[in-house]
């Protein structure tokens, strides 16, 4: 068995002769939480969409459990990897239980309905995400945080080894942001699920992740422990801010607040 | 398996209201079917109609029922089923509530090829169904290519469809002008008419209806997943490209088989799935059976009206559908 669950090798993406991602290498190790951070337009979402086969790389490849993901059958990928996008469309009148049942699609034969095992997993995922009382409610009647939990329950029903999320906390107020991140970290522990997500809030990323991945102008700028990533140098070069960094008493993780914007990049440290 | 009964199954959850609506549609379909056989220039009572269907004899009434009204009603029902299914599928595949074989140009593709055959090569008119299919499929592919830009966006599909529809429509008009001496058959084809349709048409369209309905019911879950959006559907393990291509081909085949029998009958594919959605929701597991039954009902009723309302003049059923459909289309636009 390879020691990485997802391996990104020399990945490049070009779109209309513009290079979006350039030579990305990343090994995602099992049971860890990875957060990708970077400024707007740096290529974070593009990287997630390529890892999840929604974009084809110009060069390089993505391996899932050692196999090139673009050569795997769709259902086989979905049984190991679940992906939630940032924005979602779809039917407004689908109820929570039905949405969660879609997570079982990759485990079912196409002519069959849900087997007993599927039904048990659906209930289990509804329970794990705290949606027991809302299982029969229509998605459109739920709050933003509850909707997000329902989508996570759907992804969970895939029984994935790795859960990939694109900004799971956008559009949520701060208490719901924490609720979602706590849910994700709990699942990481209880279900041994590897997590790879894009987060907008750098402090959240530092607090809830084992590893931070900094993407800057389409390249992998740096990758490692939150303490090694949240440095004045990185924050100024990548995010163009002067920041004060300190240790959070409780979590022993780094936190920062931005002091000022660096203008025109001529104040490089 | 005893324990399984206590677990709520999202697929089999009993939704009595939805089943009741579908059963209601079914009752309406039977009523429409009988009505269509009762009404007409020749007065025939219910007992004679039933006799003609179950115990045919050589009386004039029996012959009128068996050779004219019965096959015409069956053709109407099958056309309604195929167009309603095609519309329901396309609305899901293109993630566009306004998709319909007529509006997005698939029908005009079928129509152009059909009219080319009818006018230029009348001796090959048996090729109309296959030609109509090729035209429908080509139109669907052209619309896809035109609308593709790193993904499919509903608004581009509609615009591309309108453009393709106008283009093929221009071709049809040009043919009608150049060959104005041969347009009579083509004219009823343009408006969608069930006049003089009989058993040969039933046997043309029936296989498509049967296979299409069965496949639609089997693929309902895939459509439910597809309309969650490409990225989510792919993440759930759906092969998005193959599913979309297969379903588009299926819709084109259903629409083409209907066009080859009645000509360009618009609005059925648009209004039927929407009416069903308004009543029983957007789950394709209910939407498909609901559309099948309501599609058959509405085309049977419309054709009966078209045939009898202005007797002895018969108006094309397409005119009735347009009168019903255009206001409904505007209503949907305002709701969006």
């Amino acid at each position: 068995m390879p020691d990485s669950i997802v391996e990104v090798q020399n990945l490049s993406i070009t779109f209309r002769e513009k290079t979006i991602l350039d030579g990305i290498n990343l090994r995602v190790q099992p049971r860890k939480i990875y957060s990708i951070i970077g400024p707007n337009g740096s290529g974070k979402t593009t990287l997630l969409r390529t890892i999840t086969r929604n974009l084809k790389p110009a060069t390089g490849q993505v391996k899932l459990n050692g196999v090139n993901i673009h050569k795997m059958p769709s259902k086989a990928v979905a049984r190991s990897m679940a992906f939630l996008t940032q924005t979602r469309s779809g039917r407004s009148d689908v109820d929570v239980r039905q949405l969660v049942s879609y997570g079982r699609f990759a485990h079912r034969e196409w002519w069959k309905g849900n087997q007993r095992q599927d039904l048990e997993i659906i209930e289990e995922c509804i329970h794990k995400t705290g949606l027991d009382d809302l299982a029969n409610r229509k998605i459109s009647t739920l709050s933003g945080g509850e909707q997000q939990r329902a989508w996570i329950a759907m992804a969970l029903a895939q029984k994935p080894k790795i859960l990939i999320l694109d900004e799971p906390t956008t559009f949520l107020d701060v208490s719901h942001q924490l609720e979602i991140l706590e849910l994700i970290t709990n699942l990481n522990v209880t279900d041994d699920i590897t997590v790879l997500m894009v987060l907008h809030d750098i402090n959240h990323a530092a607090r809830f992740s084992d590893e931070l991945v900094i993407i800057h102008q389409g390249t992998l700028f740096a990758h490692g422990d939150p303490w090694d990533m949240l440095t004045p140098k990185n924050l100024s070069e990548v995010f163009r801010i002067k920041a004060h960094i300190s240790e959070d008493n409780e979590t022993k993780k780094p936190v920062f607040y931005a002091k000022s914007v660096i203008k025109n990049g001529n104040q490089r440290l | 398996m005893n324990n399984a009964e206590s677990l709520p199954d999202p697929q089999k959850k009993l939704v009595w209201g939805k089943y009741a609506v579908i059963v209601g549609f079914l009752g309406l379909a039977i009523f429409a079917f009988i009505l269509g056989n009762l009404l007409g220039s020749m007065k025939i009572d219910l007992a004679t109609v039933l006799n003609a269907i179950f115990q045919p004899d050589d009386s004039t009434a029996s012959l009128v029922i068996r050779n004219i009204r019965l096959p015409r009603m069956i053709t109407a029902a099958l056309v309604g089923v195929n167009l309603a299914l095609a519309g329901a599928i396309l609305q899901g595949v293109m993630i566009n509530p306004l998709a319909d074989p007529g509006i997005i140009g698939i029908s005009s593709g079928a129509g152009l090829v059909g009219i080319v055959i009818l006018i230029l090569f009348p001796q090959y008119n048996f090729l109309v169904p296959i030609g109509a299919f090729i035209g429908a499929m080509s139109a669907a592919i052209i619309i896809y290519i035109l609308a593709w830009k790193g993904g499919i966006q509903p608004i581009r599909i509609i615009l591309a469809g309108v453009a393709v529809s106008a283009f093929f429509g221009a071709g049809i008009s040009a043919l009608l002008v150049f060959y104005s001496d041969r347009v009579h058959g083509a004219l009823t084809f343009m408006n969608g008419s069930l006049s003089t349709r009989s058993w040969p048409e039933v046997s043309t369209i029936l296989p498509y209806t049967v296979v299409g309905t069965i496949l639609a019911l089997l693929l309902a879950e895939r459509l439910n997943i597809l309309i969650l959006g490409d990225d989510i559907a792919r993440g759930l393990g759906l092969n998005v490209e193959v599913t979309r291509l297969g379903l588009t081909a299926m819709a084109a085949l259903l629409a083409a088989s209907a066009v080859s029998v009645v000509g360009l009958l618009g609005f059925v594919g648009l209004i039927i799935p929407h009416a069903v959605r308004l009543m029983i929701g957007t789950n394709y597991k209910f939407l498909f059976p609901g559309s099948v039954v309501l599609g058959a009902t509405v085309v049977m009723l419309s054709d009966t009206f078209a045939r009898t309302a202005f007797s002895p003049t018969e108006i094309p059923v397409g005119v009735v559908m347009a009168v019903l459909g255009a206001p409904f289309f505007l209503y949907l636009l305002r709701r969006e």
Side-chain angles (χ1 to χ4, degrees):
Chain A
M1 272 300 278
D3 60 348
S4 58
I5 183 160
V6 164
E7 189 173 354
V8 178
Q9 292 175 336
N10 194 28
L11 193 80
S12 296
I13 289 267
T14 49
F15 187 67
R16 287 196 192 134
E17 292 162 32
K18 193 174 167 243
T19 304
I20 312 286
L21 290 178
D22 191 10
I24 305 267
N25 286 291
L26 179 68
R27 291 165 79 90
V28 178
Q29 291 171 321
R31 289 183 291 281
K32 283 190 172 180
I33 297 182
Y34 290 74
S35 288
I36 302 173
I37 56 175
N40 291 337
S42 56
K44 306 182 296 278
T45 297
T46 306
L47 178 59
L48 284 199
R49 294 193 74 220
T50 316
I51 292 173
T52 53
R53 300 173 311 148
N54 284 298
L55 292 171
K56 277 217 163 80
T59 62
Q61 59 176 338
V62 176
K63 285 184 169 176
L64 178 63
N65 295 317
V67 184
N68 184 343
I69 200 167
H70 282 98
K71 299 213 164 93
M72 290 174 72
S74 294
K75 283 190 172 183
V77 173
R79 287 193 288 262
S80 289
M81 177 194 271
F83 177 41
L84 291 181
T85 52
Q86 189 181 335
T87 52
R88 288 162 208 130
S89 57
R91 301 157 39 205
S92 53
D93 67 340
V94 65
D95 63 49
V96 171
R97 184 173 281 114
Q98 206 188 353
L99 186 76
V100 177
S101 80
Y102 295 151
R104 298 306 296 162
F105 176 74
H107 295 264
R108 275 199 305 260
E109 299 295 344
W110 66 285
W111 62 87
K112 280 186 185 162
N114 283 313
Q115 305 299 301
R116 188 181 161 197
Q117 195 202 2
D118 297 312
L119 301 180
E120 285 173 355
I121 291 170
I122 291 166
E123 293 310 309
E124 178 194 317
C125 295
I126 289 171
H127 179 68
K128 275 182 188 162
T129 48
L131 292 168
D132 303 75
D133 296 339
L134 303 172
N136 293 320
R137 287 266 295 274
K138 288 178 179 171
I139 289 290
S140 55
T141 66
L142 302 181
S143 74
E146 290 163 347
Q147 286 189 14
Q148 186 63 285
R149 265 149 57 200
W151 287 95
I152 290 173
M154 179 192 84
L156 219 51
Q158 290 175 239
K159 288 273 155 190
K161 306 271 184 300
I162 179 166
L163 177 60
I164 299 184
L165 306 133
D166 190 0
E167 299 209 21
T169 57
T170 23
F171 312 126
L172 300 181
D173 58 43
V174 67
S175 69
H176 288 114
Q177 290 183 13
L178 286 176
E179 185 184 86
I180 293 297
L181 290 169
E182 278 169 9
L183 171 65
I184 291 167
T185 38
N186 278 341
L187 293 170
N188 167 253
V189 175
T190 56
D191 290 41
D192 281 341
I193 294 180
T194 312
V195 176
L196 175 65
M197 58 187 164
V198 167
L199 281 184
H200 208 68
D201 187 316
I202 301 169
N203 280 330
H204 281 167
R207 176 173 160 195
F208 289 99
S209 316
D210 301 306
E211 306 252 347
L212 292 187
V213 179
I214 303 178
I215 302 287
H216 182 43
Q217 293 177 351
T219 60
L220 196 144
F221 183 84
H223 163 216
D225 180 86
W227 275 111
D228 298 330
M229 294 298 104
L230 243 61
T231 60
K233 179 175 169 289
N234 286 352
L235 288 171
S236 87
E237 282 188 31
V238 176
F239 294 94
R240 293 173 48 241
I241 50 171
K242 272 190 176 170
H244 174 78
I245 298 156
S246 59
E247 188 185 74
D248 182 85
N249 289 334
E250 230 173 277
T251 62
K252 305 295 175 202
K253 297 271 190 175
V255 289
F256 83 98
Y257 71 90
K259 289 192 289 194
S260 62
V261 177
I262 298 166
K263 292 190 178 67
N264 303 325
N266 54 8
Q267 290 183 39
R268 289 261 162 95
L269 290 170
Chain B
M1 286 302 286
N2 295 336
N3 212 356
E5 253 94 291
S6 63
L7 288 170
D9 185 339
Q11 308 301 324
K12 290 180 188 146
K13 201 171 59 174
L14 291 179
V15 196
W16 289 112
K18 295 181 181 184
Y19 287 122
V21 172
I22 295 175
V23 170
F25 289 164
L26 207 58
L28 207 58
I30 294 166
F31 166 77
F33 183 76
I34 292 172
L35 192 71
N37 278 296
L38 277 177
L39 298 181
S41 49
M42 183 177 173
K43 295 263 176 297
I44 302 176
D45 61 35
L46 184 60
T48 318
V49 167
L50 294 176
N51 261 336
I53 294 171
F54 297 109
Q55 292 168 315
D57 52 44
D58 285 336
S59 67
T60 316
S62 187
L63 288 174
V64 165
I65 294 294
R66 288 189 69 79
N67 293 334
I68 299 174
R69 291 187 196 168
L70 184 62
R72 180 165 174 168
M73 274 298 109
I74 294 174
T75 310
L78 299 179
V79 163
V81 170
N82 287 15
L83 289 175
L85 277 179
I89 293 169
L90 287 174
Q91 284 153 22
V93 165
M94 305 199 164
I95 313 186
N96 192 320
L98 301 181
D100 156 272
I103 291 166
I104 67 161
I106 287 184
S107 291
S108 63
L112 177 61
V113 179
I115 282 182
V116 165
I117 294 172
L118 282 176
I119 289 186
L120 299 182
F121 312 102
Q123 68 273 30
Y124 294 117
N125 64 7
F126 61 92
L127 285 177
V128 166
I130 180 84
F133 170 66
I134 293 170
M137 206 57 208
S138 315
I141 292 169
I142 292 170
I143 293 161
Y144 250 97
I145 292 170
L146 290 177
W148 183 271
K149 201 173 173 188
I152 284 292
Q153 276 187 11
I155 185 72
R156 274 205 295 271
I157 293 244
I158 281 288
L159 293 176
V162 169
V164 167
S165 196
F167 187 77
F168 286 147
I172 293 174
S173 301
L175 275 171
L176 295 183
V177 171
F178 281 127
Y179 298 93
S180 50
D181 52 325
R182 304 185 199 171
V183 296
H184 186 70
L187 218 55
T188 52
F189 185 84
M190 287 284 294
N191 282 313
S193 169
L194 280 154
S195 181
T196 72
R197 301 303 188 275
S198 188
W199 293 112
E201 283 79 15
V202 171
S203 57
T204 300
I205 194 172
L206 184 65
Y208 296 95
T209 310
V210 172
V211 175
T213 304
I214 293 169
L215 273 179
L217 295 176
L218 284 172
L219 297 173
E221 176 84 342
R222 278 163 194 260
L223 263 164
N224 279 338
I225 288 177
L226 191 66
I227 56 179
L228 297 174
D230 283 14
D231 286 18
I232 290 280
R234 209 171 272 124
L236 287 168
L238 188 72
N239 192 329
V240 170
E241 287 74 20
V242 170
T243 305
R244 195 169 257 146
L245 196 68
L247 283 168
T248 307
M250 197 174 133
L253 211 52
L254 285 166
S257 65
V259 168
S260 69
V261 166
V262 292
L264 301 178
L265 179 57
F267 289 110
V268 181
L270 176 79
I271 64 172
I272 300 300
H274 273 292
V276 177
R277 266 190 205 100
L278 288 175
M279 282 181 269
I280 58 178
T282 61
N283 185 344
Y284 271 92
K285 298 223 153 141
F286 300 103
L287 183 57
F288 276 142
S291 298
V292 163
V293 183
L294 193 65
T297 308
V298 168
V299 177
M300 284 194 287
L301 284 178
S302 298
D303 184 54
T304 303
F305 180 83
R307 186 165 55 89
T308 57
F310 303 99
S311 179
T313 306
E314 189 174 303
I315 54 174
V317 63
V319 173
V320 178
M321 283 311 303
V323 168
L324 284 176
F328 192 78
F329 184 71
L330 291 175
Y331 162 72
L332 285 176
L333 273 174
R334 292 196 65 93
R335 266 182 94 239
E336 277 306 307

